């Protein structure tokens, strides 16, 4: 499902922003940052849309793209293609949602804006250790959002900046957490969709940003320690502060 909200003005090449979350709860948390009620529409080949409007020019399509990098990439690419074919392409894609945080850098309830979006488990396990797909001679494992946009987003929301890892299997042990930290010492958070969303955006030549609210520590799986409600509330607050940045950002800023 997708929600669309309208507010503000973009100086990007298009006044449309696609926000991709994994699940409807995250999408709805972003939608609560906007004052207008939602209304449903549809995109060809994509899930249902909702739309809110403030009549000021910028539109936000909020897409519950699905869990995991593959489905997130497919759903995001479908939305981007439909928009391009309609003659109203997106000017920016934002991957948003909750995430696990690497302590002590990203405690519960904190916000993280990715300056690197990295596929942490795309590669090969060998006797010598993990090899990313780039060391196998093909592909990519990291996308870097526009530096100026990252700085502005972090300043507006109070977020920390660092690497956000995308995994296909959520970390549930201390050993796995330690291994990821060793390979990615700048990692602040772990989620499952950012790299897939970024792959789709890059394929369409559209800039991408990732913002996450930390709901649980990365490590041993302990549901009693999760703070999903608090993280969703933090995401709502953050997106309310982030929207003016997205609306004023110029993609030629460095």
């Amino acid at each position: 499902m997708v929600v669309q909200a309208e507010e503000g003005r973009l100086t990007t090449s298009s006044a449309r922003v696609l926000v991709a979350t994994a699940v409807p709860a995250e999408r709805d948390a972003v939608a609560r940052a906007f004052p207008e009620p939602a209304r449903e529409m549809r995109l060809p080949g994509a899930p249902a849309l909702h739309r809110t409007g403030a009549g000021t020019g910028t539109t936000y399509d909020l897409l519950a793209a699905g869990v995991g990098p593959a489905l997130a990439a497919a759903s995001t690419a479908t939305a981007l293609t439909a928009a391009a074919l309609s003659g109203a392409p997106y000017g920016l894609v934002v991957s948003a949602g909750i995430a696990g945080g690497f302590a002590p850098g990203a405690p519960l309830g904190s916000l993280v804006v990715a300056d690197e979006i990295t596929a942490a488990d795309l590669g090969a396990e060998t006797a010598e250790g993990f090899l990313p797909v780039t060391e196998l001679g093909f592909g990519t494992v990291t996308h870097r959002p526009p530096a100026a946009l990252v700085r502005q987003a972090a300043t507006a929301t109070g977020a920390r900046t660092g690497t956000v890892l995308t995994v296909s299997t959520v970390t549930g042990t201390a050993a796995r957490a330690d291994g990821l930290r060793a390979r990615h010492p700048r990692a602040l958070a772990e989620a499952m969709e950012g790299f897939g969303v970024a792959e789709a955006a890059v394929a369409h030549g559209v800039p991408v940003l990732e913002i996450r609210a930390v709901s649980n520590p990365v490590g041993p799986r302990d549901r009693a320690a999760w703070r999903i409600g608090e993280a969703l509330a933090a995401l709502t607050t953050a997106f309310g502060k982030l929207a003016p940045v997205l609306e004023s950002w110029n993609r030629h800023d460095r």
Side-chain angles (χ1 to χ4, degrees):
M1 184 173 287
V2 177
V3 178
Q4 187 180 67
E6 299 182 26
E7 186 176 17
R9 176 175 297 177
L10 283 176
T11 57
T12 54
S13 61
S14 172
R16 297 186 75 189
V17 177
L18 178 65
V19 182
T21 71
V23 297
E26 293 167 317
R27 176 209 63 209
D28 294 346
V30 173
R32 285 192 289 272
F34 299 96
E36 300 297 329
R39 67 177 184 272
E40 186 171 335
M41 27 182 331
R42 296 200 66 84
L43 285 176
L49 281 169
H50 283 73
R51 185 175 191 170
T52 64
T56 52
T58 301
T59 62
Y60 295 85
D61 292 352
L62 312 185
L63 170 68
V67 175
L71 183 54
S75 298
T76 302
T78 298
L80 288 167
T81 299
L85 291 175
S86 75
Y90 293 103
L92 179 67
V93 177
V94 180
S95 176
I98 63 176
F102 287 93
L108 296 182
S110 64
L111 298 168
V112 176
V113 170
D115 57 17
E116 293 185 343
I117 302 170
T118 295
D121 52 11
L122 181 60
E125 289 286 354
T126 73
E128 292 73 31
F130 179 81
L131 291 177
V133 71
T134 49
E135 293 188 25
L136 301 177
F138 52 90
T140 185
V141 293
T142 294
H143 293 293
R144 293 177 176 83
L149 181 57
V150 170
R151 290 194 302 269
Q152 294 167 24
T155 298
T157 61
R160 301 147 196 251
T161 59
T163 302
V164 175
L165 302 180
T166 299
V167 295
S168 296
T169 301
V170 172
T171 298
T173 66
R176 159 90 179 228
D178 291 343
L180 288 175
R181 189 189 301 276
R183 294 203 304 270
H184 306 281
R186 296 187 65 256
L188 289 180
E190 168 194 276
M192 300 183 74
E193 294 78 33
F195 186 78
V197 171
E199 287 273 83
V202 169
H204 280 261
V206 179
V208 65
L209 182 73
E210 183 170 12
I211 183 168
R212 294 283 174 175
V214 175
S215 60
N216 58 278
V218 176
R221 191 171 175 83
D222 178 12
R223 291 183 66 92
W226 295 359
R227 298 293 182 267
I228 293 176
E230 291 90 333
L232 291 172
L235 185 63
T236 299
T237 300
F239 217 90
K241 298 174 180 178
L242 180 62
V245 172
L246 304 183
E247 291 153 15
S248 63
W249 174 69
N250 188 313
R251 67 184 298 170
H252 301 294
D253 291 344
R254 297 196 178 275

